[in-house]
Amino acid sequence: MNTLKYALVSVLWPAMVVSAQSAAVKVYSEPDAAEVYGALFATRSKKPILFLSTTVKPHICSVSEKEAEQIKDPAFREAMSAFRDVNEQVWDLSRVLEGRKTTGEGELDETFKPGVVEGWKQFRQRYAHSLGYFALSAIGFNNAHTVAVVYSEGRCGGLCGAGGFKYLRRTPDGWKRVNTGFPQCDWIS
């Protein structure tokens, strides 16, 4: 009996692990997210943009609760608080990035397994259409959905990348980036 139990566990274990990992990544379906992401990448680039299909946590850029409380604009203070909460987990962006070229974190991990230099060579072969890729956080909205906070980063080589917070406000013409003086955490390499 024990042998049968161990045999079943050894056969079913990989499927249970994959299932648990898949269940951990929920689909991101925030109503205004596609419009906000679209406003960030309204570009006329000749090459399609490649996106990571799951959210990234802004490890390089973080805003403490104390820093968030110091944001004077109450709408953006509320959005930053929501940003911190929603980014406690990883989200699947497939639905809100529908129609855009995406890649999974596993594919990128496999591509860069041999190291940065060889990884970028493999990336250029695998994704010849793209100069690099973008990774996005989930979006923090205020309750009225009039302002938004998002973190984005672009990677284009070993020492080629940039990222930071983006602040947007809903206008009659759609979502527009605004300069706020709030924590930016812009970085470049």
Side-chain angles (χ1 to χ4, degrees):
M1 183 67 167
N2 280 343
T3 307
L4 179 59
K5 185 169 34 173
Y6 290 124
L8 281 173
V9 168
S10 66
V11 169
L12 295 176
W13 180 254
M16 292 181 336
V17 169
V18 169
S19 175
Q21 290 171 342
S22 299
V25 180
K26 296 178 183 174
V27 173
Y28 188 61
S29 58
E30 187 64 44
D32 294 314
E35 289 179 43
V36 170
Y37 291 141
L40 287 178
F41 296 99
T43 178
R44 299 188 193 326
S45 174
K46 294 186 189 271
K47 291 195 173 213
I49 299 172
L50 179 67
F51 291 92
L52 187 61
S53 62
T54 54
T55 57
V56 293
K57 290 187 179 186
H59 295 291
I60 295 171
C61 297
S62 63
V63 174
S64 70
E65 191 173 331
K66 186 176 180 177
E67 290 171 313
E69 289 172 2
Q70 293 174 5
I71 296 174
K72 292 189 184 347
D73 183 317
F76 277 108
R77 187 171 51 246
E78 190 176 293
M80 182 58 81
S81 178
F83 172 88
R84 293 176 71 241
D85 290 344
V86 74
N87 283 290
E88 287 295 317
Q89 71 178 57
V90 175
W91 295 92
D92 175 355
L93 295 174
S94 301
R95 186 174 293 160
V96 294
L97 294 177
E98 196 170 49
R100 297 181 183 262
K101 179 72 176 157
T102 61
T103 186
E105 193 169 354
E107 290 176 58
L108 287 179
D109 288 347
E110 193 62 35
T111 301
F112 289 99
K113 193 181 253 182
V116 175
V117 174
E118 185 59 34
W120 278 106
K121 285 180 188 176
Q122 288 183 25
F123 180 92
R124 305 247 183 271
Q125 290 172 351
R126 182 178 280 179
Y127 305 105
H129 66 280
S130 183
L131 297 173
Y133 67 93
F134 282 94
L136 303 163
S137 71
I139 303 166
F141 290 99
N142 66 330
N143 287 336
H145 275 236
T146 57
V147 300
V149 178
V150 64
Y151 170 81
S152 68
E153 63 183 43
R155 305 284 180 159
C156 48
L159 291 175
C160 178
F165 288 116
K166 310 297 184 269
Y167 298 92
L168 298 97
R169 185 177 300 280
R170 184 192 298 272
T171 72
D173 297 323
W175 289 91
K176 303 291 182 193
R177 284 185 57 186
V178 294
N179 294 323
T180 60
F182 306 147
Q184 296 297 314
C185 184
D186 291 333
W187 61 269
I188 191 165
S189 69

